[in-house]
């Protein structure tokens, strides 16, 4: 058991120490703040990866993502093939007046079309102008920082390991075929 009032004395000591320090004010517009690497500012759109699967819009708890698209038929890749249809993105907009920055849309996107950008200076005087269309979202994509480097001691991803093994097997087969061809050619020359 401690001395009665010792907690109060410690609290007052902290207060007095803080009162004697000079306050440091960052002059915001002139001095930009140092943001942490995983800052959640706005959402950037990498339009080329978007397949209009609508997962982001369906999973958004605020329903602040608006997507419009149309179907387009693509001619067959090879003669005798069949035509295919694909979705073409017409509109992708996010209403940042409604968005709660939960990041669910970014997590559920199976094609890595949405990313966090550290941009935070997008205030508007009218709330209706906080709905940003795909052109603005595409601009923010270029402010997305590089992902952190992979841990060198980490296990190789299964997909890469399988692809590497397949490539090594194919290279070994080609090398073996080249050696057999070379031996056959040497035998022909020896007979002649």
């Amino acid at each position: 058991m401690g001395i009665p009032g010792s907690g109060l004395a410690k609290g007052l000591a902290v207060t007095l120490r803080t009162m004697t320090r000079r306050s440091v004010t960052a002059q915001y517009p002139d001095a930009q703040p140092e943001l942490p690497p995983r800052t959640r500012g706005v959402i950037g759109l990498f339009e080329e990866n978007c397949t209009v699967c609508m997962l982001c819009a369906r999973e958004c708890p605020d329903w602040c993502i608006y997507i419009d698209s149309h179907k387009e038929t693509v001619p067959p890749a090879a003669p005798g093939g069949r035509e295919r249809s694909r979705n073409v993105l017409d509109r992708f907009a996010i209403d940042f007046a409604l968005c709660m920055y939960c990041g669910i849309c970014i997590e559920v996107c199976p094609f890595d079309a949405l990313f966090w950008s550290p941009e935070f200076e997008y205030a508007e005087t009218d709330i209706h102008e906080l709905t940003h269309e795909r052109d603005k979202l595409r601009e923010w994509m270029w402010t997305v920082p590089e992902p952190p480097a992979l841990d060198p001691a980490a296990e190789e991803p299964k997909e890469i390991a399988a692809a590497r093994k397949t490539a090594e097997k194919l290279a070994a087969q080609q090398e073996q075929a080249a050696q057999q061809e070379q031996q056959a050619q040497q035998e022909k020359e020896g007979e002649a």
Side-chain angles (χ1 to χ4, degrees):
M1 187 127 185
I3 303 171
S6 64
L8 180 63
K10 286 181 184 177
L12 286 172
V14 170
T15 303
L16 288 173
R17 230 183 357 257
T18 306
M19 282 177 49
T20 58
R21 287 192 199 140
R22 251 183 103 82
S23 63
V24 178
T25 303
Q27 301 298 325
Y28 162 63
D30 300 327
Q32 290 293 323
E34 210 39 55
L35 298 173
R38 295 183 62 189
T39 300
R40 290 184 175 192
V42 292
I43 297 169
L45 171 68
F46 191 53
E47 196 174 333
E48 289 77 18
N49 285 358
C50 183
T51 61
V52 196
C53 67
M54 307 289 276
L55 264 173
C56 54
R58 276 186 273 151
E59 295 296 324
C60 179
D62 290 334
W63 293 86
C64 65
I65 300 175
Y66 310 110
I67 300 174
D68 292 330
S69 66
H70 69 275
K71 288 203 180 282
E72 213 174 64
T73 56
V74 179
R82 67 182 180 103
E83 290 183 339
R84 300 196 179 269
S85 66
R86 68 179 181 129
N87 290 327
V88 177
L89 185 65
D90 292 329
R91 178 180 187 227
F92 193 105
I94 299 176
D95 188 353
F96 285 103
L98 294 175
C99 182
M100 64 181 184
Y101 303 92
C102 63
I104 292 174
C105 57
I106 295 170
E107 291 174 18
V108 300
C109 182
F111 301 103
D112 290 333
L114 298 173
F115 295 89
W116 281 117
S117 167
E119 285 292 314
F120 62 92
E121 299 173 310
Y122 59 95
E124 300 288 345
T125 55
D126 185 12
I127 196 168
H128 298 293
E129 293 176 10
L130 280 172
T131 302
H132 294 290
E133 298 292 331
R134 70 181 184 181
D135 296 332
K136 188 68 175 172
L137 299 175
R138 188 181 318 119
E139 285 177 30
W140 283 328
M141 184 60 209
W142 308 120
T143 63
V144 172
E146 288 281 326
L150 297 175
D151 183 7
E155 184 179 312
E156 186 177 39
K158 293 175 184 156
E159 297 86 1
I160 295 175
R164 186 178 42 75
K165 286 179 184 175
T166 304
E168 288 173 357
K169 187 176 178 181
L170 183 63
Q173 288 174 350
Q174 289 175 345
E175 186 178 326
Q176 187 179 14
Q179 286 176 354
Q180 289 175 353
E181 187 178 315
Q182 189 178 20
Q183 285 176 352
Q185 194 174 26
Q186 287 175 353
E187 287 175 5
K188 278 185 180 179
E189 289 175 3
E191 291 174 1

